[in-house]
Amino acid sequence: MHLAYPAVLSALLFCTGLYGVLARRNAILVLMSVELMLNAVNLNLVAFDVWLSRAAEETLHSGQALTLFTIAIAAAEIGIGLAIVLAVHRNRGTSDIDRLRDTAEGHETDVPEAAAAAEKAEATA
């Protein structure tokens, strides 16, 4: 098999994941898109490992070993990421990324707007 087939498939997977990261607003879908991008990289690592092992006399399979390491890192990332998303969803009631700008408890950005609204209400009364 030619190297171009897995490379093109990997590029398509990576572009799909990149689009998902940039366009999605749900945190879980963003994490799934990051996983898709990591799997595209894994496909490239294995494809280039097979392609380079044909040319080399000694086959170390370093691309496949690095792929296993990347899968372990991705599993840890998705576990921690989902735990954070679930904790934020319990506290805030949403997993929309646009609404989660301020993760602090105090909401300092909302205080001046509330004070301005109270002053406007006092001025009209």
Side-chain angles (χ1 to χ4, degrees), residues 21 41 60 66 96 112:
V21 166
V41 171
L60 296 176
L66 192 58
D96 189 11

Side-chain angles (χ1 to χ4, degrees), residues 17 43 45 50 56 58 64-65 88 103-104 108 116 123:
L43 179 62
L45 284 171
V50 169
E58 296 179 8
Q64 293 177 13
V88 168
T103 57
E108 289 86 12

Side-chain angles (χ1 to χ4, degrees), residues 66-122:
L66 192 58
T67 296
L68 289 175
F69 180 70
T70 307
I71 289 171
I73 295 296
E77 175 258 335
I78 198 69
I80 293 171
L82 279 176
I84 291 171
V85 167
L86 287 175
V88 168
H89 188 270
R90 283 184 187 156
N91 289 336
R92 297 287 177 104
T94 184
S95 63
D96 189 11
I97 293 175
D98 289 337
R99 291 186 173 177
L100 300 176
R101 290 182 303 181
D102 184 26
T103 57
E105 291 292 326
H107 303 295
E108 289 86 12
T109 57
D110 294 337
V111 172
E113 294 173 3
E119 289 175 4
K120 189 181 281 186
E122 288 176 339

